[in-house]
Amino acid sequence: MKIYTKTGDEGFTSLYGGKRVLKNNDRIDAYGTIDELNSFIGLLRDQEITTDHKNFLTQIQIELFSIGSILATPHNNQKKNLNIQKVTTDQIEALENEIDRLDTSLPPMTHFILPGGHPCVSYCHVARAICRRAERLAYSLHHNEPLEKEVLMYLNRLSDYLFVLARKLTKELEVEEIKWIPEK
């Protein structure tokens, strides 16, 4: 099978289930951003971080593929036999539990933090920012075509997890957390 189909040469692509839409469709933008996020999480996972972090990030990548599939499937899809994994409350709770676990070893937040300090930390902050964009795009889509609330909740928790992970990596890598101090 060839990787190129030439069916997108006129600015259209297919959603999951076959419906053709413009490549700048809200759904395409939303799941394309999930793909971008997944790629950055892969880049983060490929860094010198603990096996526990790598394993948790791998699970997130698997879950993001499901979210991409959900976003790529029109709400009123006529093909009901599409086997798309749902986002579960257990997955959301797993993110919350990991946030809590990581956060227990961190000093309390007293200032906003500037992204950076080490490439691993920076990759994590880039992934967090992309996740926030994905969440905004999912909400835009949700206002036109309702999504299951678990998708939106998952993306919100994921950005929180990536922030806490960035702080944890800062500590593990023994680099300074740079506080934002506004100019007077």
Side-chain angles (χ1 to χ4, degrees):
M1 180 167 101
K2 290 185 177 183
I3 192 69
Y4 59 91
T5 62
K6 301 182 182 182
T7 61
D9 292 350
E10 300 299 320
F12 288 87
T13 192
S14 295
L15 295 175
Y16 197 41
K19 181 179 177 185
R20 302 285 291 168
V21 296
L22 288 170
K23 287 189 175 188
N24 63 350
N25 179 282
D26 287 347
R27 282 194 177 279
I28 305 303
D29 207 13
Y31 79 72
T33 303
I34 294 295
D35 185 37
E36 181 183 356
L37 171 59
N38 206 336
S39 298
F40 260 96
I41 288 175
L43 180 62
L44 174 60
R45 193 193 72 230
D46 288 343
Q47 303 307 302
E48 295 298 321
I49 60 176
T50 69
T51 301
D52 286 344
H53 293 323
K54 288 180 187 240
N55 291 341
F56 200 79
L57 290 168
T58 299
Q59 184 58 40
I60 288 169
Q61 288 187 285
I62 291 165
E63 292 164 359
L64 285 174
F65 257 90
S66 295
I67 290 173
S69 297
I70 291 166
L71 295 174
T73 306
H75 183 67
N76 59 356
N77 192 322
Q78 301 301 315
K79 296 183 178 182
K80 301 297 181 188
N81 61 347
L82 298 176
N83 187 18
I84 299 172
Q85 296 289 318
K86 302 284 186 191
V87 175
T88 67
T89 55
D90 288 345
Q91 292 167 328
I92 295 164
E93 286 175 15
L95 283 170
E96 291 170 351
N97 292 337
E98 187 66 2
I99 290 167
D100 293 343
R101 187 183 76 78
L102 297 177
D103 199 43
T104 59
S105 67
L106 299 174
M109 289 277 303
T110 58
H111 290 79
F112 287 107
I113 298 168
L114 297 178
H118 188 280
C120 290
V121 175
S122 296
Y123 293 142
C124 201
H125 279 292
V126 170
R128 175 190 53 78
I130 294 168
C131 186
R132 288 282 191 213
R133 179 166 27 102
E135 182 184 9
R136 291 188 305 272
L137 292 169
Y139 266 103
S140 291
L141 179 61
H142 174 68
H143 289 295
N144 295 321
E145 299 179 56
L147 297 170
E148 294 166 357
K149 68 179 181 176
E150 290 82 5
V151 170
L152 302 169
M153 291 170 62
Y154 184 94
L155 292 173
N156 186 270
R157 292 313 176 285
L158 179 56
S159 64
D160 293 338
Y161 162 76
L162 291 167
F163 178 76
V164 173
L165 179 61
R167 292 195 71 218
K168 181 68 171 176
L169 292 174
T170 298
K171 183 178 180 180
E172 289 175 358
L173 296 165
E174 299 177 349
V175 294
E176 183 181 349
E177 209 169 56
I178 304 166
K179 296 176 181 175
W180 174 67
I181 302 172
E183 295 180 10
K184 294 184 180 197

